[in-house]
Amino acid sequence: MESLFEKLTQLTQIEFLLLTVCLTIIIFLLTIYSLNKEKKKLTKTVENNVKIFQKTCDISEDAIMILSAKNEVLYANDSMVRLLQFNNHFLSQQLDTIAEIKVKKDWIVLDTLIKEHSINLDDTVLSYPNSNLKLSEGDKIPINFYMDTILMSSSNEEICHVVTIQDLSKEIERSNLHFRHQLTNLPNQLQAYQDLPAFFSKAHLEKNKLALMLMHLDNFSMLRSIIGYEQANDVLKKFARHLETVGINLNISVYHTFDNHFLLTVTNLHSMEEAKTFVKDIQTRLASFYKMEDVNLHLTVSAGISIYPDSGSIRKLLDYAYRALAKAEQEGDGKIHIFIPEESTSNYDELRLHNDMQGALNNGDFEVYYQPIIQVETKEIVAAEALIRWKHPQYGLIPPDVFIYLMEKTGFIVKLGQYVLEEVLKQQKRWELFKFKQIEVSINVSMVEINTGEFVQHVERKLGEHQINPELLKFEITEGVAMINEAETVRHFLALKKLGVGISLDDFGTGYTSFGYLKKFPADNLKIDKSLVDYILTNEEDQRIVKAIIELAHTLGMKIVVEGIENKKMVDMIASYGCDYMQGYHFAKPLPVFEFQKLLR
Ligand code: C2E
Ligand code: CA
Ligand code: CA
């Protein structure tokens, strides 16, 4: 070190200057070299990022393009190229398309729309969700449209537009699939639920009969095991096409509800006999209907028919058709059975029940049972349904299905309803005093009670009398019934909600409420009927329906209760669909209050 220093001091001035210049040049070169390296690295990173973004956009199903301030296409991904049908040389060219977007009621050329928005350089994204794109007359695609204008530098010249178009046709197609049977493409049970209200009002207004005909090909499981799965599906498809043709000719709607079951709705029916003749005609044609290797396959069909108004209330019309079908099956293959209302109460003398009602109420022969409602998430009892029982001196315990219908006819249901409300409120007070867990109790209410016009005031008065928090009370109304006098019902229920009590739409899936109506109905809960979950473990159609109902109710902000849960498998399956609450024999049957309380403890 010292010798180097000595050598340096011995240098002449000129030599020292030269050395300094050399060193400076070396340092300069080194700096340039390292700066260049940094810059290259940075450029590389930017290039990589751009590549990643471009790849992401390339594979996106949404159509994306970037336009310059002058509307030249700087980038378009494959989806956009396909959607707007660009030719091969679109890059760096003026946007050239005849595409029009629907904005409110007008069709605006895409080009014009972009130009108009680019003047307006605020932060907002221009968006037209659920719009339409038109490329040629008659060819409209449902889309979501978004456009954002990005300022690249402070001068307004350097801007670009990012345009995104989401093609919704596939999604719509998928949701339409919800309403079709996968095998035969006929409308399915879900579609039937949607359509039935319209059929009902039509029959009602035109004073025509409405028939629901459920048909099934007999011994189908056996047939399937003999001729094989593929061949059996062919039979179903052919039968479906046959019914469809008959349907088109006679203005009958045909649904493939599940497996080998079909539902036909006949609106312009004049007599019961006509319904029978119609089915017989189908049965006759079935004989020569499916050939296997030149041999006619022997097929028979059984049918259960319910007819409004002959069979009774519309609310149960589909249930009745199922009951009639079960009867037909019992009688053998190829039988037709028409439901007549006496069948449901035939074990009881209606007149006797009718005469005994008032006395029973005075004697305390009615008792409120409670069935727990379980919250899926916590597996705890969070509510209960109050279900009435009649301990009759001659008949023993009579199930409500037998007498409620009679009480509705005579108006006695109003008194019974008041009794149940009184009992439940008293019980709530007792639970409060004895420090039981406070739970909400649901009471079934009949439309007859609501239509007295005094129901809401009565509830308000009773809540005040017993000093019960209205949030601990809910009313259940059967869906089909609730829609008969739509506007009135909604008005009454809004008044109830104002009091702070809850509303449940009961037996959902049996009463043909259209989804459109559901939106208007101020219900907190929707109870999916037992009949929709009875065969859920094996019936994929029912699985899809229940899933779809749950999704729909959730989008409308309602909670879901599924009734009729009878085993662990059902719990698991239905919980996986996102159901909120469950009720059923798996947890507990309806119990007298003392038994029920033990569960609460
Ligand atoms: P709901 O409102 O649909 O009540 C549910 C019915 O399903 C009850 O029948 C209940 O016992 C039954 N259930 C619950 N879980 C299961 C299960 O896992 N498996 C099976 N097989 N059944 C189950 P219930 O008590 O016979 O009542 C029948 C109907 O009578 C009720 O149907 C309701 O519409 C009506 N009802 C009952 N109490 C009253 C009342 O106080 N007032 C009015 N207006 N109607 C009532
Ligand atoms: Ca109920
Ligand atoms: Ca129910």
Side-chain angles (χ1 to χ4, degrees):
M1 209 49 195
E2 225 167 84
S3 66
L4 179 67
F5 185 72
E6 272 164 20
K7 273 189 191 143
L8 278 177
T9 50
Q10 285 157 16
L11 286 179
T12 65
Q13 222 175 1
I14 239 6
E15 282 169 334
F16 188 76
L17 194 72
L18 272 176
L19 185 69
T20 324
V21 168
C22 276
L23 275 174
T24 317
I25 289 174
I26 288 172
I27 291 171
F28 180 71
L29 284 176
L30 274 175
T31 318
I32 296 263
Y33 173 75
S34 76
L35 267 179
N36 248 343
K37 220 168 141 189
E38 271 305 307
K39 196 171 161 195
K40 267 192 188 151
K41 221 165 113 189
L42 191 71
T43 321
K44 199 95 202 134
T45 325
V46 172
E47 266 173 18
N48 278 344
N49 281 348
V50 170
K51 252 191 205 156
I52 292 171
F53 280 120
Q54 189 162 342
K55 263 270 158 328
T56 316
C57 290
D58 280 347
I59 59 173
S60 166
E61 270 191 38
D62 294 341
I64 302 168
M65 78 176 154
I66 303 174
L67 300 170
S68 73
K70 292 178 189 145
N71 272 11
E72 294 142 340
V73 183
L74 302 179
Y75 167 80
N77 70 352
D78 287 350
S79 303
M80 186 63 88
V81 172
R82 247 179 287 125
L83 187 69
L84 296 189
Q85 300 160 6
F86 284 157
N87 63 25
N88 288 339
H89 314 287
F90 64 86
L91 271 185
S92 310
Q93 301 295 316
Q94 274 299 121
L95 173 66
D96 177 22
T97 173
I98 52 158
E100 291 174 27
I101 311 268
K102 189 150 192 190
V103 176
K104 293 182 185 125
K105 282 189 185 133
D106 303 318
W107 289 99
I108 300 187
V109 183
L110 184 56
D111 215 21
T112 318
L113 187 72
I114 294 168
K115 276 184 198 138
E116 272 173 15
H117 188 68
S118 53
I119 307 164
N120 170 12
L121 262 180
D122 51 16
D123 281 343
T124 51
V125 176
L126 180 71
S127 73
Y128 294 109
N130 295 317
S131 177
N132 277 291
L133 180 81
K134 186 163 75 175
L135 284 165
S136 62
E137 210 41 68
D139 195 15
K140 294 183 191 104
I141 305 163
I143 57 153
N144 287 334
F145 176 88
Y146 305 100
M147 177 182 136
D148 200 2
T149 299
I150 300 168
L151 208 54
M152 309 288 278
S153 72
S154 49
S155 89
N156 274 12
E157 266 305 282
E158 284 184 65
I159 59 167
C160 67
H161 311 296
V162 182
V163 176
T164 308
I165 302 176
Q166 292 171 325
D167 182 346
L168 302 176
S169 21
K170 275 204 191 117
E171 203 175 300
I172 289 172
E173 213 172 275
R174 267 196 293 270
S175 75
N176 280 346
L177 278 182
H178 266 327
F179 295 98
R180 297 252 155 203
H181 193 283
Q182 273 182 331
L183 178 71
T184 55
N185 205 33
L186 278 180
N188 63 14
Q189 187 151 335
L190 202 57
Q191 185 69 54
Y193 289 147
Q194 280 225 358
D195 296 348
L196 282 167
F199 290 133
F200 173 52
S201 19
K202 191 163 182 280
H204 195 69
L205 288 175
E206 293 174 4
K207 301 217 168 5
N208 264 336
K209 289 180 193 293
L210 166 69
L212 300 188
M213 304 184 177
L214 276 171
M215 290 188 195
H216 80 190
L217 289 163
D218 295 316
N219 308 310
F220 199 71
S221 310
M222 191 164 51
L223 186 77
R224 189 182 271 144
S225 72
I226 297 168
I227 65 174
Y229 187 77
E230 293 284 322
Q231 193 82 251
N233 276 350
D234 271 355
V235 173
L236 283 177
K237 281 194 232 170
K238 186 132 191 243
F239 186 53
R241 295 289 82 84
H242 177 64
L243 290 180
E244 199 172 36
T245 319
V246 175
I248 289 168
N249 292 337
L250 296 175
N251 211 358
I252 287 170
S253 303
V254 180
Y255 303 86
H256 187 173
T257 49
F258 60 91
D259 199 32
N260 56 332
H261 286 66
F262 295 84
L263 169 71
L264 280 72
T265 55
V266 190
T267 42
N268 45 0
L269 193 78
H270 298 99
S271 67
M272 283 206 192
E273 266 323 294
E274 204 179 312
K276 250 188 180 159
T277 317
F278 175 80
V279 179
K280 276 191 184 142
D281 213 35
I282 289 181
Q283 286 176 327
T284 322
R285 279 189 240 173
L286 260 185
S288 57
F289 154 88
Y290 196 83
K291 276 197 171 142
M292 260 176 79
E293 293 164 1
D294 277 350
V295 180
N296 278 333
L297 199 64
H298 178 72
L299 293 170
T300 57
V301 66
S302 297
I305 304 175
S306 60
I307 300 174
Y308 173 80
D310 309 62
S311 295
S313 116
I314 185 75
R315 154 185 178 202
K316 298 263 172 167
L317 207 58
L318 194 57
D319 281 358
Y320 293 158
Y322 274 107
R323 264 194 239 177
L325 183 61
K327 268 264 161 65
E329 269 176 73
Q330 279 168 14
E331 288 164 18
D333 294 346
K335 290 287 191 289
I336 306 167
H337 191 91
I338 298 183
F339 182 89
I340 30 177
E342 290 78 60
E343 286 171 9
S344 60
T345 50
S346 55
N347 292 335
Y348 302 92
D349 176 357
E350 278 192 20
L351 190 62
R352 161 119 206 232
L353 290 183
H354 174 65
N355 288 335
D356 291 349
M357 281 172 195
Q358 186 60 52
L361 200 57
N362 300 340
N363 294 342
D365 288 346
F366 287 105
E367 185 176 346
V368 178
Y369 277 42
Y370 294 84
Q371 187 178 29
I373 297 174
I374 309 310
Q375 184 170 42
V376 174
E377 203 179 61
T378 57
K379 301 193 175 60
E380 280 182 27
I381 301 176
V382 290
E385 178 171 5
L387 293 157
I388 195 74
R389 299 288 180 260
W390 183 353
K391 292 171 290 174
H392 192 276
Q394 183 194 339
Y395 296 124
L397 212 59
I398 312 178
D401 275 335
V402 175
F403 58 85
I404 296 281
Y405 144 85
L406 275 176
M407 288 179 172
E408 281 181 339
K409 276 212 284 201
T410 59
F412 191 84
I413 192 76
V414 177
K415 283 189 187 167
L416 183 85
Q418 292 177 351
Y419 170 79
V420 175
L421 178 66
E422 185 81 24
E423 285 299 300
V424 167
L425 291 176
K426 277 192 209 157
Q427 194 53 57
Q428 290 277 34
K429 202 76 215 169
R430 274 182 226 123
W431 282 333
E432 187 190 317
L433 290 175
F434 290 101
K435 302 262 182 303
F436 277 87
K437 178 178 167 184
Q438 291 274 277
I439 57 162
E440 179 191 78
V441 177
S442 294
I443 297 179
N444 292 284
V445 57
S446 150
M447 219 40 221
V448 178
E449 295 171 67
I450 309 261
N451 286 342
T452 57
E454 284 156 20
F455 183 73
V456 182
Q457 286 105 303
H458 180 75
V459 173
E460 185 175 16
R461 201 170 57 244
K462 286 289 158 188
L463 278 169
E465 227 172 75
H466 292 271
Q467 285 297 304
I468 296 292
N469 176 359
E471 284 175 10
L472 293 176
L473 200 61
K474 203 172 230 133
F475 287 104
E476 297 193 357
I477 178 94
T478 295
E479 59 137 329
V481 180
M483 63 165 286
I484 293 175
N485 196 349
E486 187 183 313
E488 266 300 280
T489 316
V490 170
R491 199 171 61 78
H492 288 303
F493 279 91
L494 284 173
L496 274 178
K497 284 208 62 122
K498 235 176 153 183
L499 294 184
V501 301
I503 311 282
S504 253
L505 206 52
D506 203 0
D507 303 332
F508 194 79
T510 59
Y512 332 131
T513 297
S514 78
F515 287 158
Y517 172 64
L518 207 54
K519 262 197 276 186
K520 286 186 254 166
F521 199 84
D524 308 281
N525 283 5
L526 195 144
K527 293 186 90 169
I528 297 187
D529 192 64
K530 192 176 156 304
S531 60
L532 267 184
V533 293
D534 276 345
Y535 304 104
I536 197 151
L537 292 178
T538 50
N539 187 336
E540 286 178 16
E541 191 73 8
D542 284 357
Q543 291 167 10
R544 274 195 294 275
I545 291 171
V546 169
K547 241 192 246 176
I549 294 179
I550 293 180
E551 271 169 32
L552 182 96
H554 279 166
T555 58
L556 295 177
M558 296 181 191
K559 296 272 187 210
I560 287 280
V561 187
V562 177
E563 306 184 301
I565 302 283
E566 294 191 340
N567 53 56
K568 177 76 170 57
K569 278 198 177 138
M570 289 171 95
V571 175
D572 292 341
M573 174 177 278
I574 293 163
S576 78
Y577 297 166
C579 153
D580 305 282
Y581 307 101
M582 289 184 188
Q583 180 182 352
Y585 292 175
H586 173 70
F587 304 104
K589 289 198 170 177
L591 300 167
V593 71
F594 276 108
E595 305 264 334
F596 176 76
Q597 269 173 195
K598 288 184 202 156
L599 298 181
L600 269 191
R601 278 273 188 243

